[in-house]
Amino acid sequence: MQVTTQQWNDLQNWLQNEVGEDNFCSWLQPLRPSEENNSAGEVTFIVPTTFMRDWVVRHYSEILKRGLQEVTDKTCDVSYIVKSAVDAQRYLAKKNDKNITSSANPAQKALNQQKNGLYNPSETGIMSQGNPVDPRFTFDNFIVGHSNEFAFQAARRIAEVSDLSEVKVYNPFFIYGGVGLGKTHLMQAIAHYMFINNPKAKILYISAEKFMNHFISSLKNKNIHSFKQAFRTVDILMVDDIQFLGGKDSTQEEFFHTFDTLISEGKQIILTADKSPNELKNIEERLRSRLGWGLATEMHPPSLETRIAILEKKSQALGIELNRDVSMFLADRISSNVRELEGALNRLVAHSTLIQQAITVETAQDLLKDLFRSYNHVVTLEEIQKKVANYYNLRIGDMHSVKRTKAIARPRQIAMYLSKQLTTNSYPEIGKSFGGRDHTTVMHAVKTINKLLKTDSSLQEDIQLLEKLLSMPQN
Ligand code: ADP
Ligand code: MG
């Protein structure tokens, strides 16, 4: 059955009243009536993700039917098809907002409009205590490569548990790694998957920061009892970015007791952090040791191939066919972090939808100039020699000379080390540019610096600073 534009507008208004602004924005606004299905007595809706479809089926089908009856005066059934492309494209086409980096699709928009967390605890199983849970963060949308395979498999294994009272294989499950590598995505994917399979489970997702905020307000409002109750009666507790608890002693203590209670009752705990339990700063010893009780798994920066696959998957979800040249180009230039990669893609997609033109390497280069400037300034050997010499108050000539005094030889080794790290030149090429030295000299330098870096913190600082200096364009 076709829904007219007028009926669709009426239905949207009706739904908004019925379920409230927040739920509407999160779950119903992204729906579109399909224009293709014409079977009488049934309206087909287009939904952007399978996760969203499952959710809408479970929670909103009856309301949709009632609403349709209300606006069309007919009884009809509802069905759904998952088609992210259509929706995202329409949305993007309409969008003239300049702030496009992180809000380029409907689910994200819904999230942005969310004031108090996506899921309403009284209605659903995933509670979020003020942190948005992103409906796109599912296993389906997660690209697996060497860098994250182990973490992914472990996450799947945890999520697939059918009986929550089973003994937990990994408890706590601890995911760590640098920013933007998919820790939150993986953790929320577990939540989504578990929720679909165990709708009755009490799953709580919260950032460590929000955990602290709740703790403080419960102290202030003298309802610490209900705070404890809330956290200690869940089936699955997920705390994101646990490094935040470093140095927050009382919050840590409270978390420690929550942790102990849940573990002793066999409840699953899942945590993320930027570092391994051992490397976390200012975490009390008894808590630190518990963090390592289960399985701690590291997520690494993805390889070039994985980055390309991520880009292509994300662009598909946005309804854009990304030319392989373009995905190669982006993946090659932005290597550190998936979030940056995604931000760049969103910018390109938004731009190309607005001007109705396909993305080419040239447009990418042009539109993302500022990003590349700060992230991927291409460094030359000459530049390294010049900046290292400046840094240590030497002359560039000292980089090429045969002098062996330590005050000169060490900076020269550092420059060689940086040359190997920051450029794609081979050992012989580097040797040649340092006054025609043999490649073994360069290899020795790299080895020496690597070894020193393990223990010498002032050298670590020097090198970090030099890397930063070298990442900036020459002026
Ligand atoms: P972290 O919590 O580690 O800082 P996030 O989980 O927030 O990182 O990930 C940042 C962005 O990168 C998210 O949009 C996420 O979907 C995306 N992302 C990271 N890794 C992957 C992956 N392997 N496949 C698909 N998307 C990914
Ligand atoms: Mg995160």
Side-chain angles (χ1 to χ4, degrees):
M1 190 172 98
Q2 286 277 9
V3 179
T4 65
T5 314
Q6 182 60 48
Q7 287 170 336
W8 175 233
N9 288 339
D10 292 347
L11 178 64
Q12 287 191 303
N13 288 333
W14 186 89
L15 288 168
Q16 199 159 351
N17 272 330
E18 194 68 18
V19 304
E21 172 90 18
D22 281 358
N23 284 325
F24 176 77
C25 289
S26 306
W27 302 109
L28 298 172
Q29 195 175 46
L31 301 187
R32 295 281 171 268
S34 161
E35 282 152 20
E36 283 149 34
N37 184 327
N38 286 321
S39 70
E42 185 178 271
V43 174
T44 304
F45 289 99
I46 300 171
V47 204
T49 64
T50 43
F51 176 73
M52 225 167 197
R53 181 199 57 204
D54 294 344
W55 193 281
V56 173
V57 168
R58 192 190 291 276
H59 295 280
Y60 296 112
S61 277
E62 288 312 312
I63 293 175
L64 279 168
K65 284 189 215 166
R66 264 199 288 135
L68 282 166
Q69 171 144 34
E70 207 61 43
V71 301
T72 63
D73 255 349
K74 293 188 195 113
T75 327
C76 43
D77 231 336
V78 289
S79 64
Y80 306 89
I81 43 174
V82 179
K83 215 192 265 177
S84 51
V86 183
D87 203 62
Q89 222 160 11
R90 280 193 201 161
Y91 175 74
L92 278 174
K94 272 196 281 171
K95 196 167 173 63
N96 50 15
D97 187 345
K98 292 284 180 296
N99 175 21
I100 41 192
T101 343
S102 66
S103 56
N105 78 28
Q108 187 65 40
K109 179 171 173 241
L111 280 177
N112 293 346
Q113 292 175 347
Q114 202 58 44
K115 291 171 203 84
N116 287 317
L118 193 55
Y119 303 110
N120 175 352
S122 62
E123 241 181 55
T124 71
I126 305 181
M127 301 177 284
S128 70
Q129 301 278 352
N131 283 114
V133 177
D134 192 323
R136 296 166 309 157
F137 286 1
T138 59
F139 286 129
D140 283 351
N141 288 339
F142 191 83
I143 300 286
V144 186
H146 281 309
S147 56
N148 56 32
E149 190 172 8
F150 190 70
F152 176 83
Q153 296 300 351
R156 278 301 290 241
R157 175 113 194 255
I158 287 173
E160 276 162 5
V161 58
S162 51
D163 176 0
L164 291 177
S165 62
E166 262 175 43
V167 176
K168 308 292 177 289
V169 267
Y170 313 125
N171 210 8
F173 178 44
F174 191 101
I175 309 171
Y176 67 96
V179 285
L181 297 183
K183 300 182 298 294
T184 300
H185 185 138
L186 207 52
M187 188 187 227
Q188 295 194 358
I190 303 177
H192 292 324
Y193 195 97
M194 285 188 127
F195 172 70
I196 301 287
N197 289 327
N198 306 279
K200 296 225 175 69
K202 279 167 92 179
I203 305 171
L204 177 60
Y205 166 84
I206 191 166
S207 67
E209 185 176 3
K210 281 270 160 32
F211 180 87
M212 183 181 86
N213 294 344
H214 281 287
F215 176 59
I216 293 175
S217 35
S218 77
L219 288 177
K220 216 164 60 193
N221 303 328
K222 300 201 172 22
N223 53 6
I224 187 77
H225 179 73
S226 54
F227 174 87
K228 287 186 201 293
Q229 187 75 7
F231 285 94
R232 296 183 193 181
T233 55
V234 300
D235 295 308
I236 297 136
L237 176 65
M238 302 185 172
V239 186
D240 210 351
D241 291 321
I242 198 97
Q243 73 274 2
F244 182 84
L245 296 185
K248 322 276 188 328
D249 294 349
S250 324
T251 312
Q252 241 185 70
E253 176 160 1
E254 181 55 35
F255 178 73
F256 173 83
H257 293 298
T258 308
F259 184 101
D260 252 14
T261 309
L262 291 174
I263 292 270
S264 67
E265 288 171 7
K267 309 292 191 200
Q268 180 75 55
I269 296 181
I270 305 175
L271 307 165
T272 72
D274 62 351
K275 299 203 179 61
S276 73
N278 276 334
E279 294 163 314
L280 284 175
K281 297 226 168 67
N282 301 321
I283 297 282
E284 242 192 292
E285 203 39 50
R286 56 177 188 171
L287 178 57
R288 181 201 307 285
S289 78
R290 277 165 172 74
L291 295 179
W293 269 356
L295 176 72
T297 164
E298 182 169 6
M299 296 186 64
H300 302 276
S303 68
L304 179 72
E305 289 79 359
T306 309
R307 295 198 300 276
I308 294 176
I310 292 175
L311 273 175
E312 295 188 353
K313 176 110 189 165
K314 301 255 178 205
S315 54
Q316 258 171 22
L318 291 169
I320 298 283
E321 242 349 287
L322 203 61
N323 180 318
R324 180 54 65 82
D325 287 347
V326 179
S327 50
M328 288 267 281
F329 171 76
L330 285 182
D332 180 56
R333 289 307 190 83
I334 304 174
S335 56
S336 52
N337 153 344
V338 184
R339 191 172 300 143
E340 304 296 350
L341 202 59
E342 207 177 344
L345 175 70
N346 283 340
R347 268 161 75 171
L348 293 185
V349 169
H351 177 82
S352 94
T353 318
L354 278 177
I355 63 162
Q356 304 274 315
Q357 267 175 24
I359 305 165
T360 63
V361 173
E362 289 71 37
T363 37
Q365 216 152 13
D366 194 39
L367 281 171
L368 302 173
K369 263 197 302 242
D370 54 329
L371 262 187
F372 296 153
R373 210 174 283 148
S374 54
Y375 290 105
N376 278 298
H377 166 60
V378 181
V379 193
T380 61
L381 295 175
E382 292 68 44
E383 218 174 315
I384 294 175
Q385 293 173 352
K386 185 171 149 206
K387 290 208 170 151
V388 174
N390 272 343
Y391 186 87
Y392 289 104
N393 276 328
L394 303 173
R395 285 167 300 135
I396 292 204
D398 292 330
M399 293 284 138
H400 308 147
S401 75
V402 288
K403 287 182 206 148
R404 286 170 183 244
T405 53
K406 198 168 167 202
I408 294 173
R410 184 52 42 81
R412 196 157 52 212
Q413 286 183 321
I414 291 173
M416 290 180 185
Y417 165 88
L418 288 169
S419 301
K420 193 64 205 153
Q421 301 297 314
L422 305 177
T423 76
T424 50
N425 290 291
S426 63
Y427 287 116
E429 282 162 348
I430 297 172
K432 201 163 145 227
S433 80
F434 281 82
R437 286 182 157 77
D438 193 61
H439 72 277
T440 52
T441 310
V442 185
M443 286 166 84
H444 176 72
V446 173
K447 214 160 128 191
T448 309
I449 300 299
N450 265 322
K451 197 162 154 207
L452 284 172
L453 274 175
K454 294 207 174 99
T455 52
D456 184 342
S457 61
S458 82
L459 180 66
Q460 287 167 9
E461 273 169 31
D462 282 355
I463 293 218
Q464 264 173 19
L465 220 97
L466 279 163
E467 282 178 345
K468 201 172 256 163
L469 285 171
L470 285 161
S471 75
M472 292 189 262
Q474 230 173 347
N475 32 33

